[in-house]
């Protein structure tokens, strides 16, 4: 019986649209819903729709444009899509579980690499500190040499007066 309801939803939308002589493109233009999404509703390919309240909004807008009871069509959509949504949710849960598994494997790999990267960072910091200290020492030595050169009295070639 659920299959009959499910098949009836998309056929009902298509039949109502065709009775009025309206194309999917006309509805798409007026409702700002892509013709692809409208076609997915008619074909009952709910997995091609974005999901959640968007789908119900699409059904409401489509029904309103056709002049049919919006709430009744939303109820029919819910009944028709219930199986599809359950399958979609399970598929998302499965994909999420796989992604979590991959992530945990990547995290393990990151943890094993982390100590190496810490040692590399520490070595780089020590090297920079040694270079900075050495540079400062050279600077101080040159500064002291210049100061001592200026402090020594200049030799005079003058002969002392007697």
């Amino acid at each position: 019986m659920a299959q009959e309801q499910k098949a009836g939803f998309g056929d009902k939308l298509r039949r109502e649209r065709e009775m009025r002589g309206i194309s999917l493109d006309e509805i798409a233009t007026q409702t700002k819903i892509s013709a692809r999404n409208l076609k997915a509703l008619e074909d009952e390919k709910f997995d091609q729709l974005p999901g959640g309240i968007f789908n119900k909004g699409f059904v409401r807008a489509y029904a309103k444009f056709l002049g049919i009871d919006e709430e009744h069509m939303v109820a029919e959509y819910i009944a028709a899509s219930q199986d599809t949504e359950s399958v979609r949710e399970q598929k998302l849960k499965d994909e999420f579980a796989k992604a979590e598994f991959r992530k945990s494997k990547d995290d393990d790999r990151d943890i094993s690499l982390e100590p190496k990267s810490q040692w590399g960072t520490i070595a780089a910091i020590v090297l920079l500190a040694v270079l900075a200290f050495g540079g400062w020492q050279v600077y101080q030595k040159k500064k002291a040499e210049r100061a001592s050169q200026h402090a020594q009295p200049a030799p005079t070639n003058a002969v002392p007066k007697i």
Side-chain angles (χ1 to χ4, degrees), residues 41-53:
L41 281 174
E42 284 186 357
D43 293 343
E44 298 177 26
K45 294 182 178 176
F46 304 124
D47 60 324
Q48 295 178 359
L49 297 170
I53 63 170

Side-chain angles (χ1 to χ4, degrees), residues 45-85:
K45 294 182 178 176
F46 304 124
D47 60 324
Q48 295 178 359
L49 297 170
I53 63 170
F54 289 108
N55 296 0
K56 293 176 188 173
F58 292 168
V59 172
R60 276 193 184 90
Y62 195 148
K64 183 177 182 179
F65 186 83
L66 294 177
I68 56 179
D69 184 14
E70 300 167 36
E71 294 309 313
H72 178 74
M73 289 309 297
V74 168
E76 284 191 33
Y77 161 75
I78 290 170
S81 67
Q82 202 165 29
D83 293 334
T84 304
E85 289 296 319

Side-chain angles (χ1 to χ4, degrees), residues 9 11 15 41-42 136 144 154-155 158:
F9 171 76
D11 289 338
R15 205 171 38 249
L41 281 174
E42 284 186 357
W136 183 75

